Amino acid sequence: MPGPVRRPRRRLSQPREQVLAAAMATIAAEGLDRLTMAGLGREVGMSSGHILYYFGTKDELLLQTLQWSEEQLGTERRAALSRRVPARERLDALVDLYLPEGHRDPRWTLWLEVWNRSQSADDETRERQLDLELAWHRDLVALLVEGISKGEFRPVDAERFATRARALLDGFGTHLVVGLPGTDREQARDHIREFLDESLTA
């Protein structure tokens, strides 16, 4: 997972992208509680009304910020998965990108907040959230299928294995981002590596 998000130093080409980048930077630097429409407006030189024009509600702003963040991370993930190295090494890279850096990781903090706010969301919003999940799932399944076809992984049902593996990653990720005592990133990675080795070793 990338380190803390830095405030953009260049003016981004689109007003919407400026707001999303500023929102993510605020979450990284000051936490989600400090993210307000008025504060964002001051950051990007817009009125809070202008920001509402683009997003409508704070819930929509948060969801679009998460989508924007995942697009950035998706580019990094695809680059890692396209490297000419063994599938197992790329699987470790995917795990590293998936897990939060630690307590209050901004992307995971945002992710948890969006999911918490979506308990009464409409179907269209839930579909957009599902798309974020499926991007990781599809890449993981494709990597598993490749590793199996090359004899690097033992034969498993790639779809079912990916679903279970992501549940494991989500569990450890949630513990890390909320700062559960006794859990750190290296311990989580060790548990996950052990599970992958035991399950996939050809």
Side-chain angles (χ1 to χ4, degrees):
M1 185 64 56
V5 180
R6 295 182 175 84
R7 294 183 183 276
R9 294 183 179 181
R10 61 182 178 85
R11 190 141 182 99
L12 301 172
S13 58
Q14 298 296 325
R16 174 182 168 277
E17 188 182 359
Q18 294 174 35
V19 175
L20 298 177
M24 200 67 209
T26 298
I27 294 169
E30 303 174 24
L32 195 56
D33 291 343
R34 301 295 298 272
L35 180 65
T36 65
M37 296 294 194
L40 278 178
R42 289 191 295 272
E43 184 72 23
V44 298
M46 298 180 187
S47 67
S48 56
H50 198 179
I51 293 176
L52 284 171
Y53 169 79
Y54 282 104
F55 301 100
T57 65
K58 187 173 183 178
D59 284 359
E60 179 63 21
L61 168 66
L62 293 176
L63 178 53
Q64 288 197 34
T65 303
L66 180 59
Q67 290 175 310
W68 180 82
S69 171
E70 286 294 307
E71 288 171 5
Q72 317 306 308
L73 190 59
T75 299
E76 188 173 351
R77 183 176 72 247
R78 288 186 293 274
L81 295 179
S82 66
R83 294 170 58 213
R84 295 181 179 274
V85 296
R88 185 65 179 82
E89 187 173 333
R90 283 176 281 151
L91 183 55
D92 285 338
L94 185 145
V95 169
D96 282 341
L97 288 171
Y98 197 104
L99 289 175
E101 285 293 328
H103 188 204
R104 296 180 180 172
D105 177 276
R107 185 179 65 89
W108 269 77
T109 296
L110 178 57
W111 191 290
L112 292 178
E113 181 68 13
V114 168
W115 255 242
N116 185 54
R117 287 169 174 258
S118 70
Q119 294 181 69
S120 57
D122 57 29
D123 290 342
E124 188 268 341
T125 298
R126 289 182 181 277
E127 285 295 325
R128 290 162 64 196
Q129 293 173 328
L130 179 61
D131 285 343
L132 300 178
E133 292 276 356
L134 290 179
W136 288 93
H137 183 82
R138 286 189 294 266
D139 284 347
L140 177 54
V141 168
L143 182 58
L144 291 169
V145 169
E146 179 189 340
I148 293 166
S149 71
K150 293 181 177 179
E152 294 185 48
F153 300 150
R154 73 177 184 84
V156 297
D157 184 321
E159 285 283 346
R160 289 172 61 82
F161 188 90
T163 297
R164 293 171 179 176
R166 288 193 304 109
L168 180 68
L169 291 168
D170 285 342
F172 277 115
T174 301
H175 288 179
L176 289 171
V177 74
V178 301
L180 192 71
T183 303
D184 64 36
R185 197 170 193 271
E186 194 54 45
Q187 288 173 332
R189 290 172 65 190
D190 287 344
H191 281 297
I192 293 164
R193 286 195 197 102
E194 183 178 345
F195 165 75
L196 294 174
D197 287 338
E198 291 174 349
S199 303
L200 294 175
T201 299

